[in-house]
Amino acid sequence: MIQIQNLTTGYPGKVVVQDVSVDFVPGQVLVLLGPNGSGKSTLLKAALGLLPAERGTVRYDGVDIRQMKRKHVAQKAAFLTQSRNTPSILSLRMVLHGRFPYLSYPRQYSKADYAIARKAMDVTGCRQHENTNINQLSGGQRQGVYLAMALAQDTETVFMDEPTTYLDIRRQLQIMETARTLAEEGKAVVLVLHDISLALRGADRIGVFQDGRLLMCDTPEKVYESGVLDGVFDVHVHCAETPHGKQYYCVEREE
């Protein structure tokens, strides 16, 4: 399990995350919500060791991340980033990049590596594109390939930074279904989202950020009932009982 304690971090000359403590628990989907620039993505980067801690600690199974090699961190946590270059490469070869933390130089893939990569592509629904250049795929199809690359890393924790951006509704729901499946398999899954409704329906816990601080981290029901989302996003969040369970929606506040 990854534990973050009293973490303060950011970029040169700019503190972004302030005194945040949170655990990424195996078997749970944690969704981070908050306005743009509130520290959600910065927290993920710090959790991966991509940004240093000014204060506080990040621990992997009790071990301070500063004592770990990059390769060992990559064997424990995968990261689906928000922005990516799109190289000219076959989709399967791209997914195989997820196996890099387990390979020594020169990288030579084994049959097991290919099997893991193809299984990941099955999970994300992009197996039929394995011999297609990723540049020839739609945005949604490419997202499936990148997610498969993260899953091929075969880690205990999976971070996804805004994985539903630019996706249609069906694919957004599929992303959340995949997150839930991974959690049911015992992984800790952490997503940065902007869709409040999707988060409230699909998460086990929701962490709400504002101005670099974690205001609350609890079950969707408790977060909704607290009213913290209304204040942070300046909206009214409502809940309706439907034949398909609770559905959440947002409306603008009246002037």
Side-chain angles (χ1 to χ4, degrees):
M1 181 168 69
I2 300 175
Q3 297 175 297
I4 294 176
Q5 297 178 325
N6 306 116
L7 181 69
T8 295
T9 187
Y11 303 91
K14 183 180 181 181
V15 171
V16 179
V17 170
Q18 302 180 60
D19 196 29
V20 169
S21 296
V22 63
D23 295 341
F24 303 139
V25 181
Q28 290 189 0
V29 174
L30 169 63
V31 173
L32 305 181
L33 292 174
N36 290 331
S38 59
K40 307 179 299 297
S41 299
T42 300
L43 179 71
L44 297 192
K45 293 176 182 177
L48 289 155
L50 302 177
L51 289 175
E54 291 190 14
R55 291 187 298 276
T57 58
V58 177
R59 297 183 184 277
Y60 281 59
D61 299 323
V63 179
D64 193 313
I65 193 173
R66 290 170 291 192
Q67 299 173 1
M68 299 172 63
K69 295 182 179 179
R70 288 293 315 143
K71 179 177 181 178
H72 295 153
V73 173
Q75 291 174 355
K76 287 185 171 291
F79 185 31
L80 178 65
T81 61
Q82 178 181 358
S83 58
R84 297 168 295 273
N85 294 325
T86 305
S88 180
I89 188 174
L90 295 183
S91 296
L92 177 58
R93 302 297 295 184
M94 191 72 198
V95 175
L96 281 166
H97 285 184
R99 302 303 299 159
F100 280 6
Y102 304 95
L103 303 177
S104 56
Y105 187 83
R107 299 186 180 105
Q108 293 184 335
Y109 301 115
S110 66
K111 290 182 179 180
D113 292 322
Y114 277 96
I116 291 170
R118 288 191 168 105
K119 180 181 178 181
M121 297 183 84
D122 285 334
V123 170
T124 63
C126 65
R127 175 73 178 274
Q128 69 271 31
H129 304 303
E130 69 171 64
N131 292 315
T132 302
N133 193 299
I134 195 170
N135 282 322
Q136 298 174 2
L137 300 179
S138 69
Q141 291 168 338
R142 284 199 301 269
Q143 187 75 325
V145 173
Y146 287 121
L147 178 55
M149 180 175 66
L151 300 189
Q153 211 166 313
D154 194 22
T155 57
E156 300 167 359
T157 302
V158 179
F159 295 116
M160 304 185 201
D161 192 1
E162 298 192 30
T164 61
T165 302
Y166 305 126
L167 298 186
D168 59 41
I169 297 299
R170 177 171 172 270
R171 289 190 181 275
Q172 290 180 33
L173 294 174
Q174 288 175 340
I175 289 287
M176 184 55 78
E177 288 173 6
T178 298
R180 292 242 45 95
T181 298
L182 294 173
E184 289 167 6
E185 293 173 354
K187 296 182 185 295
V189 184
V190 185
L191 300 90
V192 170
L193 294 179
H194 283 290
D195 190 324
I196 295 174
S197 301
L198 187 62
L200 288 168
R201 290 200 310 271
D204 294 297
R205 288 185 301 150
I206 292 177
V208 183
F209 274 79
Q210 186 175 43
D211 298 328
R213 297 187 180 277
L214 182 61
L215 302 185
M216 184 176 187
C217 187
D218 214 318
T219 64
E221 292 80 9
K222 290 183 178 179
V223 169
Y224 167 70
E225 291 169 359
S226 74
V228 66
L229 295 173
D230 294 37
V232 167
F233 290 99
D234 196 26
V235 297
H236 285 304
V237 183
H238 296 277
C239 178
E241 294 286 351
T242 77
H244 303 288
K246 292 181 178 179
Q247 300 295 318
Y248 298 88
Y249 63 97
C250 303
V251 297
E252 287 185 296
R253 286 185 173 184
E254 295 181 1
E255 296 294 337

